[in-house]
Amino acid sequence: MIDGRSFRLDDGREIRLAGIEPVKAGDDAARARSARALQAIIGGRDVTLHGEDDVPDRYGRQPAFVFVAGSEIPVQAELLRRGEALYSATVADKDCAAALAAAEASARKTNFGTWAEPTAIKSAESPGDILAEAGRFTVVEGRVLSVRQARATTYLNFGRNWTRDFAATISRRIIPAFESANLGPKSLENRRIRVRGVVSSRRGPRIELLRVGQIEVLGGK
């Protein structure tokens, strides 16, 4: 095992589990725990790889969905079910995406793994806590207080101070995809939502929304 979402085959190839992100990426203890969970699932066992192609990523790892011999459930789903990974919302296949999202939701509901920790989901009302995760994949919950557009970017603002509080951003070119999924930005105003993605620190903590799956509406107005 290399870490909680990548491993090396006996032929030397390095495989990265597609569709998931590590929990608490900057925490060595969490990283070791996730690696042990992956070891318990696939260590010493034959696996099958499914992917769009066999082109390695920039780190030389081959992204793939991994299945232990005799199982129809991807290893990714098992890690999510144990709370040892986060769903990345990058999966194009709708059925596969739904299965991974459901596996993570099950772990959240039962407080498995990382979800047993109260800080696993960051509050949009605590921008400092979110900013501390800059450069890492993070899950944030809060109420959208306002929606505004500035040039080619739409901002979902979770606070009144636009230069300090948390906001999620959507590029104009992909707004139609969100509207087609009944997630048009204006419809999210005053709604409580959960967003996920890599935190940036440009004029306050930000998460750029590139895919519909990065948003989950949590309740009514």
Side-chain angles (χ1 to χ4, degrees), residues 45-69:
R45 305 182 70 179
D46 291 335
V47 296
T48 299
L49 309 179
H50 291 195
E52 294 181 356
D53 54 48
D54 57 0
V55 177
D57 64 14
R58 60 178 176 170
Y59 301 107
R61 303 168 303 182
Q62 180 181 335
F65 283 90
V66 179
F67 296 80
V68 172

Side-chain angles (χ1 to χ4, degrees), residues 52-221:
E52 294 181 356
D53 54 48
D54 57 0
V55 177
D57 64 14
R58 60 178 176 170
Y59 301 107
R61 303 168 303 182
Q62 180 181 335
F65 283 90
V66 179
F67 296 80
V68 172
S71 175
E72 296 182 355
I73 299 174
V75 171
Q76 284 91 327
E78 181 59 23
L79 286 171
L80 289 166
R81 188 189 66 79
R82 296 184 184 195
E84 297 297 347
L86 302 174
Y87 171 50
S88 69
T90 58
V91 180
D93 182 272
K94 291 184 178 180
D95 291 338
C96 184
L100 296 185
E104 184 193 88
S106 173
R108 270 200 321 271
K109 184 176 181 179
T110 52
N111 295 323
F112 275 12
T114 193
W115 304 110
E117 303 173 24
T119 58
I121 297 178
K122 303 302 179 184
S123 170
E125 297 178 2
S126 301
D129 291 344
I130 303 171
L131 197 58
E133 301 299 318
R136 302 188 185 115
F137 190 91
T138 305
V139 181
V140 178
E141 287 184 9
R143 186 175 300 278
V144 178
L145 298 185
S146 66
V147 176
R148 71 182 180 93
Q149 185 171 330
R151 297 184 180 179
T153 302
T154 295
Y155 292 81
L156 307 182
N157 295 305
F158 291 77
R160 301 298 183 190
N161 188 324
W162 295 347
T163 61
R164 181 184 66 85
D165 291 329
F166 174 66
T169 64
I170 308 174
S171 170
R172 178 190 297 164
R173 62 184 173 80
I174 57 173
I175 290 289
F178 286 85
E179 291 176 338
S180 295
N182 295 319
L183 291 172
K186 275 298 182 181
S187 73
L188 298 173
E189 199 164 49
N190 202 36
R191 303 292 294 273
R192 186 167 181 81
I193 67 174
R194 179 184 297 133
V195 298
R196 62 186 62 225
V198 177
V199 176
S200 67
S201 56
R202 185 173 58 184
R203 300 188 71 190
R206 302 282 184 265
I207 288 179
E208 184 178 8
L209 302 179
L210 301 170
R211 301 168 188 86
V212 170
Q214 289 177 261
I215 292 182
E216 181 181 353
V217 177
L218 300 179
K221 293 188 177 182

